Amino acid sequence: MGHDVHIRHVSDGDWSGIVALEASAYTDSALSEERAALESRAHASPATCFVLDFEQQIAGYLLALPYPMFQYPDLSRMEETIFHSRNLHLHDLVIGESFRGRGLAKRLLHHLTVTAGSKMYERISLIAVGGSETFWSANEYKAHHEVALPRSYGADAVYMSKAV
Ligand SMILES: CC(C)(COP(=O)(O)OP(=O)(O)OC[C@H]1O[C@@H](n2cnc3c(N)ncnc32)[C@H](O)[C@@H]1OP(=O)(O)O)[C@@H](O)C(=O)NCCC(=O)NCCS
């Protein structure tokens, strides 16, 4: 299946697929965002947001946008400011359940790192949610346990980053 899945930029027709994946990934938590908020993350930085396309079906997505280090989106609000920063914040990554465990997240992350380098970003940050810190550590992100995060990201959220 891996060869039939390709990475491309997000287009307008992708949003119902993205919203469905997002809702199913975060359905048991308070992390799920409104569609308008999700769309605003991608509109802030279309060049660093991607979907995995499998036979015209959205198998996964990754949304990243510039944010100064140690700042991050407010989950309850749309983006109002477009930051100019050498830090790219990986806001969300979801792989559809039936596509997990095949290295597709790793593939999207590699694509993001290459894209970030070509656009002169120096670091990539993220907030690990839902107990995913070990997944991110395995993908070279280092935890900044000293950074306090709002409860909206969940009690176990951890700010992490890596050099590009
Ligand atoms: C986390 C997620 C993106 C991984 O996608 P994937 O395509 O299955 O990942 P890969 O195939 O590249 O890597 C799989 C590896 O990650 C590990 N892994 C997957 N999810 C994990 C998690 N939540 N915590 C720790 N490890 C995890 C798997 O055990 C596997 O390990 P292995 O290679 O040692 O067998 C996917 O499970 C997902 O979309 N989850 C829901 C949304 C989410 O939690 N996003 C990240 C939080 S911001």
Side-chain angles (χ1 to χ4, degrees), residues 25-26 52 90-97 99-107 109 126-136 138-139:
Y26 301 119
L52 281 171
L90 198 182
H91 174 64
D92 197 11
L93 165 66
V94 173
I95 304 295
E97 267 179 57
F99 293 92
R100 289 182 191 165
R102 301 161 196 264
L104 290 174
K106 202 173 274 293
R107 204 165 123 191
L109 290 172
L126 58 86
I127 296 178
V129 297
S132 61
E133 181 181 344
T134 52
F135 168 78
W136 295 110
N139 285 284

Side-chain angles (χ1 to χ4, degrees), residues 108-124:
L108 264 181
L109 290 172
H110 176 70
H111 189 76
L112 182 71
T113 305
V114 171
T115 304
S118 73
K119 297 192 178 304
M120 304 303 169
Y121 286 103
E122 292 171 354
R123 292 197 78 78
I124 302 176

Side-chain angles (χ1 to χ4, degrees), residues 12-91:
D12 288 346
D14 294 330
W15 284 103
S16 47
I18 291 174
V19 168
L21 278 182
E22 199 261 6
S24 68
Y26 301 119
T27 194
D28 295 331
S29 67
L31 294 164
S32 192
E33 296 180 88
E34 296 287 336
R35 176 182 180 137
L38 269 181
E39 285 193 33
S40 76
R41 318 286 180 225
H43 289 153
S45 185
T48 55
C49 296
F50 307 100
V51 292
L52 281 171
D53 185 317
F54 174 69
E55 297 177 347
Q56 275 92 58
Q57 183 190 342
I58 304 301
Y61 68 86
L62 183 160
L63 306 178
L65 66 168
Y67 254 88
M69 274 294 277
F70 309 123
Q71 293 186 47
Y72 38 80
D74 177 334
L75 297 178
S76 65
R77 299 175 74 127
M78 292 170 62
E79 295 303 323
E80 285 163 4
T81 309
I82 297 182
F83 293 100
H84 296 282
S85 173
R86 291 283 173 87
N87 182 65
L88 184 62
H89 188 74
L90 198 182
H91 174 64

